[in-house]
Amino acid sequence: MSRASESRVEYGVIGAGALSKRLIGQLPRKAREIGPVAGVSYRVASRMANALRAGHAARGAEELNSVPVILFHAPDGQMRQIAALLEGAGIDWKDKSLIFCDCEVPG
């Protein structure tokens, strides 16, 4: 494997709640495969990145535009709030995947 492919960031995370205890936190991965971690605030994003022991806190959901796959998790009570953050981020969805982890897609 080349050094370039080793350092490639594959995933971004947006969410709320205890991610380390959910599917996202249990996925086998190398820390460098997760890049931006976004939440309702930078402080929350920082806590999530620390709990995951991967990625870095994003100042805004716009930073998720840099990754090909976005992992999404939110408890039922925060689903619409997190979805609204993602919607307002101006993400270019061409060739990008959004994966809902341990939650239902909002209707």
Side-chain angles (χ1 to χ4, degrees), residues 4 11 30 43 46 53 59 66 78 87:
Y11 305 100
K30 297 176 185 166
R43 185 176 180 174
S46 180
R53 296 183 185 187
R59 293 272 176 199
S66 66
Q78 293 179 294
E87 183 179 17

Side-chain angles (χ1 to χ4, degrees), residues 25 36 43 56 62 69 83:
R43 185 176 180 174
H56 62 275
E62 304 80 25
V69 179

Side-chain angles (χ1 to χ4, degrees), residues 37-49 56-60 63:
V37 176
V40 295
S41 68
Y42 179 75
R43 185 176 180 174
V44 170
S46 180
R47 287 181 179 169
M48 290 188 303
H56 62 275
R59 293 272 176 199
E63 290 185 43

Side-chain angles (χ1 to χ4, degrees), residues 30-96:
K30 297 176 185 166
R32 66 181 160 266
E33 291 176 342
I34 292 182
V37 176
V40 295
S41 68
Y42 179 75
R43 185 176 180 174
V44 170
S46 180
R47 287 181 179 169
M48 290 188 303
N50 288 338
L52 291 172
R53 296 183 185 187
H56 62 275
R59 293 272 176 199
E62 304 80 25
E63 290 185 43
L64 297 169
N65 205 29
S66 66
V67 295
V69 179
I70 299 171
L71 305 175
F72 182 110
H73 170 77
D76 290 342
Q78 293 179 294
M79 179 67 74
R80 293 197 186 281
Q81 182 182 17
I82 300 301
L85 286 174
L86 194 57
E87 183 179 17
I91 303 285
D92 177 5
W93 291 102
K94 184 179 181 204
D95 299 323
K96 193 173 301 291

Side-chain angles (χ1 to χ4, degrees), residues 11 13 18-30 33-34 48 51-54 71 73 101-102:
Y11 305 100
V13 175
L19 295 180
S20 64
K21 296 180 176 158
R22 299 297 185 177
L23 176 64
I24 293 172
Q26 304 305 312
L27 291 173
R29 70 197 173 286
K30 297 176 185 166
E33 291 176 342
I34 292 182
M48 290 188 303
L52 291 172
R53 296 183 185 187
L71 305 175
H73 170 77
C101 302
D102 290 333

